Amino acid sequence: EMEDFSDVELDHCLIKNNRYTGIDNYKGALQVTASSFELHNDYGVYSYKAESRIESCTFKANWKYGVYCWYEAPFPLDSSIVHNCGIDLGGVLEPSSQYGVLSNLDKMRLSGCKIKDYFQGGIKLDNSNSLILDCDLRRVGVGSTVGIYAYNNSTPRIRHCNVSSQPIGVKASL
């Protein structure tokens, strides 16, 4: 767990089989490169009021979300960046497995990611102004309802993504 302005860098690490969360970043600065997050009951990375840069990582079998970024307004510029990551549930579908990525009150930049096998869907945006670029959300999951779900005043910019083989590709609601 990182707290109150900690500055942590991880490179080529395996974060595995922790009871709740791989990394809990609270008001810290996190830089993760080429690492793997596996078998956590809640989140691979949980980031709250923090800056997170996550690149070339793998997230597998994290039951609730692979990556959960929650900031609170006002939005900093690109407070969360997730780039070139593979995020999947590892083929095991449970009703508790929600979305690959959740951006809540955050200004996330998500690019070059492949997201699959989550029960409810690939990406959920809650009151978020996010950029989703060059992502692959084909066949997110057997029970999946949506590739990208933007609600509660979210204003995503979605560019050059493959969102296919879903009941609903992109859903927007209040």
Side-chain angles (χ1 to χ4, degrees):
E1 180 175 342
M2 301 170 49
E3 285 195 24
D4 293 328
F5 310 106
S6 297
D7 188 359
V8 175
E9 292 183 24
L10 290 123
D11 188 14
H12 290 85
C13 293
L14 173 61
I15 312 294
K16 184 175 181 178
N17 205 24
N18 293 293
R19 184 171 182 188
Y20 298 113
T21 301
I23 294 179
D24 185 340
N25 181 10
Y26 177 72
K27 293 185 179 179
L30 173 65
Q31 174 73 41
V32 184
T33 307
S35 295
S36 182
F37 297 84
E38 301 176 14
L39 300 169
H40 302 103
N41 287 336
D42 288 337
Y43 318 104
V45 171
Y46 177 81
S47 183
Y48 178 69
K49 290 187 177 181
E51 291 183 24
S52 294
R53 306 280 190 262
I54 303 166
E55 299 186 42
S56 302
C57 292
T58 303
F59 294 83
K60 283 193 176 190
N62 298 291
W63 294 104
K64 288 188 180 176
Y65 304 100
V67 179
Y68 185 152
C69 295
W70 178 8
Y71 197 84
E72 291 190 356
F75 301 121
L77 179 62
D78 298 327
S79 59
S80 303
I81 296 178
V82 181
H83 176 68
N84 197 30
C85 294
I87 303 168
D88 71 77
L89 195 57
V92 179
L93 291 174
E94 295 288 333
S96 64
S97 59
Q98 297 180 15
Y99 289 84
V101 175
L102 172 61
S103 178
N104 186 356
L105 293 165
D106 194 46
K107 190 172 185 177
M108 175 182 280
R109 180 184 304 188
L110 185 71
S111 62
C113 294
K114 184 172 185 174
I115 302 170
K116 66 178 187 172
D117 287 343
Y118 274 82
F119 189 78
Q120 292 184 12
I123 300 169
K124 183 176 183 180
L125 306 171
D126 180 359
N127 198 13
S128 291
N129 180 9
S130 297
L131 172 63
I132 302 168
L133 178 65
D134 294 320
C135 289
D136 186 345
L137 291 103
R138 288 178 284 176
R139 295 179 299 135
V140 170
V142 174
S144 172
T145 58
V146 64
I148 300 171
Y149 181 27
Y151 82 110
N152 194 16
N153 298 313
S154 291
T155 55
R157 292 168 292 146
I158 302 167
R159 307 278 190 269
H160 308 287
C161 292
N162 186 344
V163 184
S164 58
S165 300
Q166 307 292 327
I168 301 170
V170 178
K171 180 178 179 179
S173 66
L174 296 176

